[in-house]
Amino acid sequence: MLIWFVMIYLLFSVGVGLFASRRVHSARDFVVAGRNLPLPIVTATVFATWFGAETVLGISATFVKDGLSGVVADPFGASMCLIIAGLFFAPLLYRMNLLTIGDYYRTRYNSKIELIMTVCIMVSYLGWVSAQLTALGLVFNLVTGGAIDRPTGMVIGTVIVLTYTMFGGMWSVALLDFVQMTVIMAGMLLIAVLVSADVGGVGAVVNHAQTAGKLQFFPQGGYEVWVPFIGAGITMMLGSIPQQDVFQRMTSAKDEKTAVRGSVGGGVLYFAFAFVPMFLAYSATLIDPQVFGAMVESDSQMVLPNLILHHTPLVAQIFFFGALLSAIMSTASATLLAPSVMFTENILKHFALKHMSDQQMLRTMRIIVVSFGGLVLWFAMHSQASIFEMVESAYKVTLVAAFVPLAFGLYWKRANTQGAVFSIVLGLSVWLLMEMYCPSEIWPAQLLGLLMSILGMLLGSWLPKLSGRWGNRP
């Protein structure tokens, strides 16, 4: 019965996505939905894109093991990213009327910076999309009782997501996100009510977690615990801002106010609902301490799915896996679309196929979506990292390379192309050297990379120009 409901829901999702594809008539429709999305849709697509596999499976598993201090990156840093992006970046970027975040780097600096930033941002998506595909394989394996193995489930999930993303682009993603947000919120709240009744209510779970020290957010100790804590929070908080999916959601809004309110509203909703999977996973350790306690140590990502499969009625299972599939597919479609659009617009169009018509560009974007999907599927099948680790590591490269040129370019008039070059080189070099040769548990490589990126921007912008080619675009 559960399998049939999952199949019906998947067919419904594909149908909604294909229905939305009828509104795609140009590349701008495909990328930013013609800049016509109203506030409810913008809020929904911001929320649903970020409420993915790592929120339901990754964050909940990390919380059970490490408590609130272990999830400072997500949801704390992630939700703050959306709020900061909405308040301080959405108004300025919306007014520029650009197609991609890569266009900003070309407009503010030059085409070389555009190319470097596009590559860095595209690379950052490998981990995030891979996490969603890994989770899709896990879900298909669970709901079929092992009849479909994880690799096969990953292939099936990828084909489903690619089908409506390739045809409908941002229109399909946005409308389906609205449906999926409704399913996520209703499903998670229903299951929370059912599970809380088995453990004596919400208060009993919170009190137990408090006694166990799981609600201790700030670290206890000196710089050796505070520096990694700050580094983890900043990675998601700032490293996620220069991302194409965030940019697309802000610039797809019908006006500037909608862009701001939709981003902030989506961030607030995300923060609130991210605690529901944490509550459910911790409740599992109270319902059956022996079984789930052992699972926490061996494979903590399986705690929540096994709680639903073995300790809730069929209706709860249907809602949970419907909500989980909604969360995964909404994030997967958005994160497949974003780098594909950037590759077409900021690499092919400006460096290889300079004279593409609008229809040729639209067709090329669809081909790249499929190609990138295949690449990420291969990457996901060969990765040994957990879902949470895949997502958390995705934003390190954008933190050390892309954030400073974006923020300083918007808010510091003196920032120039030479400063951007220095920032990128210093940030990436320090981060990569530390990761490869002297990794430290105290000093996160990405935090030092960010500091060097800031230093590079200041030095490069203040120093006399070393070469005419570093000059800003006229």
Side-chain angles (χ1 to χ4, degrees):
M1 184 66 70
L2 176 60
I3 297 172
W4 281 108
F5 272 104
V6 168
M7 289 178 61
I8 292 171
Y9 180 71
L10 290 173
L11 290 174
F12 169 76
S13 298
V14 172
V16 171
L18 293 179
F19 172 78
S21 70
R22 299 189 306 170
R23 305 194 67 167
V24 177
H25 305 294
S26 66
R28 183 167 289 272
D29 289 336
F30 190 80
V31 178
V32 291
R35 288 168 66 99
N36 286 315
L37 299 183
L39 179 59
I41 301 295
V42 175
T43 304
T45 193
V46 170
F47 168 82
T49 296
W50 283 64
F51 200 98
E54 72 282 359
T55 312
V56 180
L57 302 177
I59 294 175
S60 60
T62 304
F63 171 75
V64 172
K65 292 176 64 177
D66 304 323
L68 278 184
S69 61
V71 294
V72 60
D74 197 359
F76 290 93
S79 56
M80 282 304 300
C81 161
L82 295 174
I83 294 171
I84 292 171
L87 293 176
F88 300 104
F89 291 83
L92 299 176
L93 291 173
Y94 190 88
R95 292 170 204 163
M96 297 180 73
N97 194 24
L98 304 172
L99 199 61
T100 70
I101 189 69
D103 291 343
Y104 165 80
Y105 292 104
R106 182 182 69 253
T107 302
R108 182 62 176 83
Y109 302 109
N110 62 24
S111 58
K112 296 183 180 66
I113 302 298
E114 171 195 15
L115 176 62
I116 297 169
M117 291 296 91
T118 298
V119 172
C120 288
I121 294 170
M122 286 181 59
V123 168
S124 74
Y125 277 100
L126 280 176
W128 196 7
V129 188
S130 297
Q132 312 313 313
L133 301 188
T134 300
L136 281 172
L138 173 63
V139 171
F140 281 113
N141 179 256
L142 287 171
V143 298
T144 60
I148 296 178
D149 59 24
R150 293 192 187 187
T152 304
M154 292 164 66
V155 174
I156 294 172
T158 303
V159 171
I160 292 171
V161 173
L162 281 175
T163 299
Y164 64 82
T165 305
M166 178 183 65
F167 287 105
M170 191 60 192
W171 269 117
S172 290
V173 171
L175 293 185
L176 197 51
D177 278 353
F178 185 77
V179 174
Q180 291 168 333
M181 184 188 77
T182 305
V183 175
I184 291 169
M185 295 173 72
M188 287 295 165
L189 289 176
L190 172 64
I191 296 164
V193 170
L194 293 174
V195 170
S196 65
D198 293 337
V199 292
V202 175
V205 177
V206 173
N207 289 335
H208 192 281
Q210 177 71 47
T211 304
K214 299 296 183 180
L215 302 186
Q216 177 68 43
F217 178 65
F218 294 108
Q220 301 296 309
Y223 75 94
E224 71 280 358
V225 292
W226 273 97
V227 172
F229 178 80
I230 294 172
I234 286 179
T235 299
M236 291 282 282
M237 188 186 304
L238 302 183
S240 306
I241 292 176
Q243 289 282 1
Q244 174 64 16
D245 63 281
V246 176
F247 177 86
Q248 274 181 268
R249 274 133 196 82
M250 294 187 297
T251 54
S252 296
K254 65 178 183 178
D255 53 48
E256 185 180 315
K257 288 184 178 179
T258 301
V260 174
R261 293 170 181 172
S263 298
V264 174
V268 172
L269 275 178
Y270 175 75
F271 182 75
F273 273 85
F275 283 90
V276 179
M278 287 190 270
F279 168 79
L280 295 174
Y282 194 80
S283 297
T285 63
L286 304 185
I287 292 174
D288 194 337
Q290 184 174 357
V291 171
F292 289 110
M295 198 173 293
V296 167
E297 299 301 324
S298 59
D299 190 358
S300 55
Q301 294 177 164
M302 296 297 294
V303 170
L304 189 49
N306 276 281
L307 168 69
I308 303 302
L309 282 174
H310 302 297
H311 294 275
T312 62
L314 178 62
V315 64
Q317 296 175 25
I318 293 171
F319 269 95
F320 173 78
F321 284 103
L324 180 56
L325 282 170
S326 293
I328 297 169
M329 290 194 301
S330 62
T331 304
S333 58
T335 49
L336 279 171
L337 179 62
S340 303
V341 165
M342 289 194 72
F343 182 77
T344 307
E345 165 71 10
N346 301 115
I347 295 181
L348 289 183
K349 183 179 177 181
H350 290 286
F351 295 95
L353 306 173
K354 296 184 179 181
H355 302 292
M356 280 193 295
S357 67
D358 188 76
Q359 288 303 309
Q360 288 174 326
M361 186 174 176
L362 178 59
R363 183 167 57 250
T364 303
M365 283 181 180
R366 286 171 168 159
I367 294 171
I368 298 302
V369 167
V370 176
S371 303
F372 189 74
L375 172 64
V376 173
L377 177 62
W378 177 87
F379 182 84
M381 286 184 169
H382 292 82
S383 176
Q384 300 299 318
S386 69
I387 292 172
F388 188 80
E389 290 170 340
M390 285 184 191
V391 174
E392 188 177 17
S393 62
Y395 304 109
K396 293 179 180 179
V397 62
T398 47
L399 176 69
V400 302
F403 174 74
V404 171
L406 172 63
F408 276 69
L410 288 173
Y411 283 99
W412 193 36
K413 291 183 179 180
R414 189 162 182 172
N416 59 30
T417 305
Q418 179 172 278
V421 171
F422 279 32
S423 174
I424 295 165
V425 171
L426 277 178
L428 282 174
S429 299
V430 170
W431 171 59
L432 289 172
L433 288 172
M434 283 199 64
E435 289 280 9
M436 290 187 294
Y437 299 111
C438 51
S440 170
E441 295 182 0
I442 298 177
W443 295 98
Q446 72 272 18
L447 181 58
L448 292 180
L450 173 63
L451 295 176
M452 290 298 102
S453 180
I454 294 172
L455 178 62
M457 174 59 77
L458 296 175
L459 289 176
S461 299
W462 277 330
L463 287 173
K465 293 177 183 176
L466 302 180
S467 171
R469 62 184 176 180
W470 297 138
N472 285 334
R473 291 172 59 87

